[in-house]
Each structure stands twice: as C-alpha cells, then as structure tokens.
Amino acid sequence: MNATNDATDSLVKEDAIKSVLAQFFEQNGWETEVHKDREHGVDFQAQKDDLCWKIEVKSEYEKNEVNYNSFLYVLGQIIMRMDSPNTYYGIAFPKTEQYEKLCAKIPQEAKERIRIFIFIIDIDTPNTIEIIPWCKVPSPLKTFGVNKVTHNNE
C-alpha cells in the first residue's frame, strides 16, 4: 500500500479476493472467469454444467466511509446482474470487523427475497472462506461437497 492516506488505497485488494474465490471454485470442479480491477462486467463468475455463480467483490480500505459506500455499491451492482434463474448471486468481502457488521445488518427477509450469498474471505488464515447463505438449507453449497457454512480452502 502507498504511504498516502488516499481513500482509494486498499488494504486488501479485490484481485486477492478473486484469486481465493477462483481457487475455491476450481478445486470444486467449476470453470471460472475473473475480471481484473477496472474491467467492465461482473467481478467473478463460475460455471458448472447448467449452473452459474456471479459474485461482485470489494476491497478493504483505510477509511470506514469508503468501506461503507463500497458495501452499498456492491449490493446495487449484484442486484443489477440478477438476470437468470440458473444463477447464484453473491457478494464477497475481505474479513474485517466493519464488513462483517454491515453484512449482519442485511435483514434476513432481504437476503431471502434477493437470494444472495455473502462470501467473507480471510486472506490471513490461510484463505479461509465463510459463506453466509440466504436460506437455512444452503442447497447450492452442496455442489461443493460442504453442508456447513464455513469452508477452509486448503
């Protein structure tokens, strides 16, 4: 990270989170497509048979206001991508106290209506992914061979 205090300096870059997602999905038999920063389109996609995942990813920034705005922005981004009944939709963030608190504030009713999955990526321990499903029975997660919410990507 730069020595400046610019609000656009990120502590955990989107590309690092996308890399962990790609490794996780590929290990579970999915083909992935990752857009680099500033490329147009959904940040991360995975395809297997007739199923697809579309996941929007956000970085961690020094300033809480930037993280808050990124959180609101990513919700709008993923909603605008919801165009197929055979697609699972998610948002992904680095594991931080602020993002975890913001994710916890999404009402269950809203998660169920938009059928959204939340991926919390812990880059430091190593590559641990917590998946917060929109429903009590996370049937799409069974495609990964996991029936639990937390999955270690080792």
Side-chain angles (χ1 to χ4, degrees):
M1 189 178 85
N2 297 339
T4 68
N5 284 332
D6 185 358
T8 61
D9 288 339
S10 63
L11 303 172
V12 176
K13 302 275 188 201
E14 281 185 24
D15 285 345
I17 294 172
K18 293 174 199 173
S19 177
V20 172
L21 285 171
Q23 180 183 8
F24 172 73
F25 277 86
E26 288 167 4
Q27 285 176 347
N28 287 283
W30 293 73
E31 294 180 29
T32 62
E33 181 182 335
V34 178
H35 283 137
K36 298 294 181 193
D37 284 344
R38 312 261 189 259
E39 282 186 339
H40 182 70
V42 67
D43 291 333
F44 178 87
Q45 291 187 85
Q47 184 81 35
K48 186 178 190 179
D49 302 322
D50 63 342
L51 298 176
C52 181
W53 279 88
K54 290 183 180 180
I55 302 172
E56 288 292 341
V57 178
K58 286 298 166 220
S59 300
E60 173 192 13
Y61 297 95
E62 280 190 33
K63 296 188 177 196
N64 286 342
E65 302 83 29
V66 176
N67 290 323
Y68 180 78
N69 288 336
S70 290
F71 178 80
L72 296 177
Y73 185 73
V74 78
L75 288 171
Q77 279 183 304
I78 200 62
I79 288 170
M80 295 300 291
R81 308 254 189 246
M82 293 180 169
D83 60 1
S84 172
N86 291 333
T87 301
Y88 300 115
Y89 297 93
I91 52 178
F93 304 97
K95 183 177 178 66
T96 68
E97 183 178 348
Q98 184 182 17
Y99 277 135
E100 288 180 300
K101 284 181 180 178
L102 289 169
C103 288
K105 287 184 177 183
I106 299 174
Q108 184 61 32
E109 179 72 18
K111 286 189 270 191
E112 290 176 11
R113 284 185 183 209
I114 62 175
R115 300 174 55 143
I116 194 166
F117 289 81
I118 301 167
F119 293 78
I120 305 292
I121 312 298
D122 189 344
I123 300 291
D124 297 327
T125 46
N127 298 335
T128 299
I129 299 176
E130 179 181 0
I131 305 169
I132 304 169
W134 60 270
C135 56
K136 291 185 181 182
V137 181
S139 58
L141 302 182
K142 291 179 183 174
T143 63
F144 299 121
V146 294
N147 292 316
K148 56 185 178 178
V149 175
T150 301
H151 178 80
N152 189 309
N153 195 21
E154 290 183 10

